[in-house]
């Protein structure tokens, strides 16, 4: 078939590769000048099956109340905004904060994340992809005893889903990652997932886009999607805007047999005129990237998750990436300096001798969150429109597996895992 993929982030670019491998003629449309330039550009770098606990847990509402009014809070809800989409999303989010919903969502998140990690490993070997991958696992550290106990209970749920994690004492945490020595007096314990990985999502996205181009995928960069045209049989075309050689905007229309929506936080805006809605809301996250000296011993070589500050850290070659926090404040992509500086301060407090933090690069991006933390990976109510969007903070973790499953859905093949949890109506 002729297939148009909307979005060239890590999910869209990987979907294009799998679809093209199946023999389809694929066109990818993205408004940026290259692949992976928005949410996939500078995220935390973790392939974190062990971080699959959904945002909506029985403990989350109380935590959110404690964080109200704090500019340095890990999660900020801008409830005072006159934003019906945020309020509707928030109500659905609260409905998923029950123990049963949390356990259900955790199981489905773990299933997709584990499958995706396996697919990524196969892709890396098959295509010889280079993206600063490290396969030394992910270490979760804790300072709060109650939070530690809650996460240990969550780890039991994940263990029953086939994801083992080692429970560590503070001494064992530092023995595993000596760069945490400065934080040792505050730690109460850790959880270690040896099978998890880390790597640069941006480098991976550009690498898989090159592989896709080599097998015939046409990437139309600098192309903004204006609207989807419909007919009785489904999507009839995509109306876009490009710049001509003189820099003037021109309209262009793309037609295909099927369409795949991989536009992250902007997906709800695109489907608004199609008669259904996507409860996806952007969660703005921040990151800092610190240049490192070669073989810097004071920076971690195991990817770290600091649960108290909702921060993650990954060694990406000669760089240290620190990322975290979430701000529910609409589609505003402006970098708030105070929030960004908090990321840098958290990183320096945890790894004070890793490098010159004045040289760190700061960044922010919008992550597409669903109320239950599960993506939409299914055929939409419109016959020839497929959804592969809403992966939230686990977009990099779930991208490869989601792309393979998407290709199976388009081809009508059985999928590797049960996809009922990722349908639109749930």
């Amino acid at each position: 078939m002729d297939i148009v993929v909307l979005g060239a982030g890590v999910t869209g670019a990987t979907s294009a590769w799998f679809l093209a491998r199946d023999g389809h003629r694929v066109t990818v449309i993205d408004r940026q000048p290259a692949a992976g330039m928005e949410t996939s550009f500078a995220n935390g770098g973790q392939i974190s099956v062990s971080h699959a606990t959904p945002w909506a847990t029985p403990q989350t509402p109380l935590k959110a109340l404690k964080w109200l009014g704090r500019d340095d809070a890990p999660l900020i809800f801008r409830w005072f905004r006159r934003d019906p989409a945020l309020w509707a999303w928030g109500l659905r989010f609260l409905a998923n904060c029950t123990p049963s919903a949390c356990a259900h969502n955790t199981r489905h998140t773990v299933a997709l994340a584990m499958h995706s990690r396996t697919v990524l490993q196969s892709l890396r070997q098959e295509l010889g992809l280079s993206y600063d991958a490290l396969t030394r696992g992910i270490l979760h550290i804790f300072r709060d005893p109650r939070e530690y106990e809650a996460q240990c209970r969550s780890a039991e749920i994940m263990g029953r889903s086939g994801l083992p994690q080692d429970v560590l004492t503070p001494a064992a945490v530092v023995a595993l990652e000596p760069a945490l020595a400065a934080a040792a007096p505050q730690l109460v314990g850790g959880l270690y997932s040896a099978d998890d990985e880390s790597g640069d999502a941006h480098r991976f996205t550009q690498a898989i886009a090159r592989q896709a181009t080599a097998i015939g995928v046409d990437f139309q960069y600098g192309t903004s999607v204006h609207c989807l045209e419909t007919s009785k049989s489904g999507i009839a075309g995509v109306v876009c805007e490009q710049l001509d050689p003189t820099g003037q905007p021109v309209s262009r229309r793309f037609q295909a047999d099927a369409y795949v929506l991989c536009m992250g936080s902007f997906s709800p805006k695109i489907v608004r005129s199609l008669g259904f809605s996507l409860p996806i809301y952007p969660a703005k996250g921040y990151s800092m990237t610190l240049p490192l000296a070669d073989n810097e011993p004071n920076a971690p070589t195991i990817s770290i998750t600091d649960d108290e500050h909702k921060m993650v850290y990954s060694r990406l070659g000669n760089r240290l990436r620190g990322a975290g926090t979430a701000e529910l404040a609409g589609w505003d992509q402006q970098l708030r300096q105070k929030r960004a500086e908090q990321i840098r301060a958290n990183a320096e407090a945890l790894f004070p001798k890793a490098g010159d933090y004045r040289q760190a690069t700061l960044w922010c991006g919008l992550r597409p969150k669903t109320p239950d933390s599960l993506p939409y990976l299914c055929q939409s109510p419109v016959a020839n429109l497929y959804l592969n969007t809403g992966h939230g903070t686990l977009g990099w973790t779930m991208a490869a597996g989601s792309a393979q499953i998407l290709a199976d859905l388009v081809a009508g093949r059985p999928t590797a895992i049960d996809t009922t949890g990722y349908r639109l109506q749930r």
Side-chain angles (χ1 to χ4, degrees), residues 344-360:
R344 176 157 44 193
N346 288 344
E348 188 169 10
L350 194 58
F351 306 109
K353 299 180 180 179
D356 183 357
Y357 283 88
R358 294 171 299 180
Q359 303 300 318

Side-chain angles (χ1 to χ4, degrees), residues 345-396:
N346 288 344
E348 188 169 10
L350 194 58
F351 306 109
K353 299 180 180 179
D356 183 357
Y357 283 88
R358 294 171 299 180
Q359 303 300 318
T361 302
L362 304 178
W363 174 87
C364 70
L366 302 181
R367 300 167 294 190
K369 283 297 294 183
T370 59
D372 55 11
S373 294
L374 298 176
Y376 294 107
L377 182 54
C378 58
Q379 187 171 4
S380 80
V382 179
N384 61 344
L385 175 65
Y386 293 83
L387 307 177
N388 190 5
T389 188
H391 298 76
T393 55
L394 294 178
W396 177 208

Side-chain angles (χ1 to χ4, degrees), residues 196-212:
D196 278 342
E197 304 181 0
S198 60
D200 190 330
H202 174 64
R203 287 193 63 189
F204 171 87
T205 304
Q206 298 219 320
I208 199 70
R210 288 192 294 270
Q211 294 284 341

Side-chain angles (χ1 to χ4, degrees), residues 14-349:
T14 313
S15 295
W17 188 86
F18 274 103
L19 290 167
R21 192 183 66 170
D22 275 354
H24 300 296
R25 296 171 297 277
V26 182
T27 299
V28 181
I29 297 172
D30 196 279
R31 64 182 179 179
Q32 296 294 341
M37 298 301 291
E38 293 203 24
T39 305
S40 304
F41 183 72
N43 66 15
Q46 290 188 336
I47 306 299
S48 50
V49 181
S50 59
H51 202 52
T53 302
W55 279 17
T57 71
Q59 296 80 30
T60 303
L62 181 58
K63 289 181 183 178
L65 286 174
K66 291 180 178 178
W67 290 334
L68 284 177
R70 281 180 50 189
D71 285 338
D72 63 342
L75 179 61
I76 292 181
F77 294 83
R78 303 287 185 188
W79 295 116
F80 55 83
R81 292 170 53 88
R82 295 182 179 179
D83 187 349
L86 175 58
W87 283 93
W89 185 95
L91 290 173
R92 295 184 65 156
F93 179 85
L94 289 173
N96 278 279
C97 288
T98 64
S100 60
C102 181
H104 171 273
N105 297 334
T106 299
R107 286 194 299 271
H108 281 285
T109 303
V110 169
L112 180 55
M114 287 186 66
H115 171 64
S116 188
R117 186 176 64 192
T118 300
V119 174
L120 176 64
Q121 292 166 349
S122 297
L123 275 178
R124 185 170 65 234
Q125 181 175 5
E126 176 185 350
L127 301 177
L129 300 176
S130 176
Y131 54 91
D132 290 323
L134 278 179
T135 57
R136 297 199 62 201
I138 292 178
L139 174 61
H140 293 240
I141 60 172
F142 302 89
R143 300 175 185 83
D144 184 337
R146 288 178 296 181
E147 181 68 20
Y148 182 42
E149 292 173 5
Q151 289 299 319
C152 285
R153 290 193 295 270
S154 180
E156 291 178 5
I157 297 175
M158 294 184 190
R160 292 194 292 269
S161 299
L163 177 65
Q165 295 185 73
D166 297 329
V167 179
L168 304 180
T169 65
V173 166
V174 177
L176 186 63
E177 179 47 81
L180 288 168
Q186 290 81 44
L187 299 181
V188 298
L191 293 171
Y192 177 55
S193 177
D195 295 330
D196 278 342
E197 304 181 0
S198 60
D200 190 330
H202 174 64
R203 287 193 63 189
F204 171 87
T205 304
Q206 298 219 320
I208 199 70
R210 288 192 294 270
Q211 294 284 341
T213 299
I215 59 174
V217 174
D218 178 19
F219 283 85
Q220 292 287 326
Y221 296 120
T223 303
S224 299
V225 176
H226 178 63
C227 68
L228 301 178
E229 294 182 334
T230 59
S231 66
K232 291 182 180 179
S233 59
I235 305 298
V238 186
V239 178
C240 301
E241 185 178 275
Q242 291 180 325
L243 297 180
D244 68 15
T246 67
Q248 295 299 310
V250 294
S251 181
R252 185 172 177 188
R253 187 171 182 269
F254 294 85
Q255 286 183 285
D257 302 306
Y259 303 81
V260 180
L261 183 60
C262 302
M263 292 181 65
S265 297
F266 296 92
S267 300
K269 296 178 180 290
I270 294 299
V271 305
R272 192 173 293 164
S273 63
L274 301 181
F276 70 95
S277 62
L278 286 175
I280 294 173
Y281 198 83
K284 185 192 294 185
Y286 289 80
S287 75
M288 70 101 223
T289 304
L290 177 68
L292 300 173
D294 291 340
N295 302 315
E296 171 58 61
N298 297 304
T301 57
I302 294 175
S303 192
I304 306 292
T305 297
D306 183 345
D307 282 82
E308 180 179 352
H309 294 110
K310 305 304 179 190
M311 288 278 298
V312 301
Y313 302 91
S314 297
R315 183 77 167 258
L316 304 175
N318 62 351
R319 299 165 294 152
L320 176 63
R321 174 73 49 76
T325 77
E327 183 179 357
L328 300 176
W331 282 259
D332 173 23
Q333 299 187 70
Q334 178 184 2
L335 186 144
R336 296 179 185 273
Q337 194 66 28
K338 191 172 183 178
R339 294 285 283 172
E341 291 293 348
Q342 187 64 46
I343 297 294
R344 176 157 44 193
N346 288 344
E348 188 169 10

